Short mmCIF file of all heavy atoms in Angstrom, two decimals:
data_model
loop_
_atom_site.label_atom_id
_atom_site.label_comp_id
_atom_site.label_asym_id
_atom_site.label_seq_id
_atom_site.Cartn_x
_atom_site.Cartn_y
_atom_site.Cartn_z
N GLU D 30 134.55 161.56 213.62
CA GLU D 30 135.92 161.14 213.73
C GLU D 30 136.07 159.73 214.25
O GLU D 30 136.70 158.88 213.61
CB GLU D 30 136.58 162.12 214.77
CG GLU D 30 138.14 162.12 214.84
CD GLU D 30 138.64 162.92 213.62
OE1 GLU D 30 137.84 163.78 213.07
OE2 GLU D 30 139.75 162.69 213.23
N GLY D 51 135.95 162.59 201.55
CA GLY D 51 134.93 163.62 201.90
C GLY D 51 134.36 163.36 203.27
O GLY D 51 133.15 163.62 203.48
N LEU D 115 128.60 147.03 208.13
CA LEU D 115 129.92 146.38 208.55
C LEU D 115 129.65 144.82 208.49
O LEU D 115 130.56 144.12 208.14
CB LEU D 115 130.41 146.90 209.81
CG LEU D 115 131.01 148.26 209.83
CD1 LEU D 115 131.34 148.71 211.23
CD2 LEU D 115 132.23 148.29 208.81
N VAL D 185 109.97 157.20 197.22
CA VAL D 185 109.76 156.62 198.68
C VAL D 185 110.23 157.57 199.72
O VAL D 185 109.76 157.39 200.83
CB VAL D 185 110.61 155.28 198.77
CG1 VAL D 185 109.97 154.14 197.98
CG2 VAL D 185 112.07 155.48 198.36
N THR D 195 116.36 185.06 210.34
CA THR D 195 116.44 186.08 211.39
C THR D 195 115.44 187.19 211.13
O THR D 195 115.49 187.77 210.02
CB THR D 195 117.84 186.71 211.44
OG1 THR D 195 118.76 185.64 211.68
CG2 THR D 195 117.98 187.69 212.71
N ALA D 216 107.76 186.71 215.83
CA ALA D 216 108.09 185.38 215.44
C ALA D 216 106.89 184.45 215.80
O ALA D 216 106.58 183.52 214.97
CB ALA D 216 109.18 184.88 216.28
N THR D 240 107.81 172.62 209.06
CA THR D 240 108.14 172.49 210.43
C THR D 240 109.03 173.59 210.90
O THR D 240 110.12 173.72 210.27
CB THR D 240 108.75 171.10 210.82
OG1 THR D 240 107.74 170.09 210.60
CG2 THR D 240 109.36 171.02 212.21
N ALA D 260 114.48 178.27 212.69
CA ALA D 260 115.03 177.32 211.73
C ALA D 260 113.83 176.42 211.31
O ALA D 260 113.12 175.86 212.09
CB ALA D 260 116.07 176.42 212.40
N THR D 287 106.34 193.47 207.95
CA THR D 287 105.78 194.77 207.56
C THR D 287 104.68 194.99 208.71
O THR D 287 104.51 196.17 209.17
CB THR D 287 105.19 194.64 206.23
OG1 THR D 287 106.12 194.32 205.30
CG2 THR D 287 104.45 195.96 205.90
N GLU D 296 116.25 187.99 207.29
CA GLU D 296 117.31 187.37 206.56
C GLU D 296 117.11 185.88 206.41
O GLU D 296 116.87 185.24 207.40
CB GLU D 296 118.58 187.62 207.32
CG GLU D 296 119.11 189.10 207.21
CD GLU D 296 119.83 189.59 208.39
OE1 GLU D 296 120.48 188.69 209.04
OE2 GLU D 296 119.77 190.80 208.73
N ASP D 309 114.53 153.14 191.34
CA ASP D 309 114.42 152.55 189.90
C ASP D 309 113.57 151.32 189.80
O ASP D 309 113.61 150.41 190.66
CB ASP D 309 115.90 152.16 189.57
CG ASP D 309 115.94 151.69 188.07
OD1 ASP D 309 115.77 152.49 187.20
OD2 ASP D 309 116.07 150.41 187.88
N ALA D 314 112.61 145.78 191.47
CA ALA D 314 112.06 144.40 191.17
C ALA D 314 113.00 143.34 191.62
O ALA D 314 112.70 142.36 192.14
CB ALA D 314 111.62 144.32 189.78
N GLU D 333 105.31 152.14 201.87
CA GLU D 333 104.50 153.46 201.68
C GLU D 333 105.53 154.54 201.63
O GLU D 333 106.59 154.53 202.36
CB GLU D 333 103.63 153.73 202.82
CG GLU D 333 102.49 152.65 202.81
CD GLU D 333 101.58 152.71 201.58
OE1 GLU D 333 101.39 153.74 201.05
OE2 GLU D 333 101.17 151.55 201.16
N PRO D 380 115.51 141.28 216.24
CA PRO D 380 116.18 140.80 214.97
C PRO D 380 116.55 141.89 213.94
O PRO D 380 116.88 141.65 212.90
CB PRO D 380 115.19 139.85 214.36
CG PRO D 380 113.75 140.56 214.76
CD PRO D 380 114.04 141.10 216.11
#
Side-chain angles (χ1 to χ4, degrees):
Chain D
E30 197 78 20
L115 286 173
V185 289
T195 302
T240 289
T287 301
E296 288 150 29
D309 180 72
E333 293 299 322

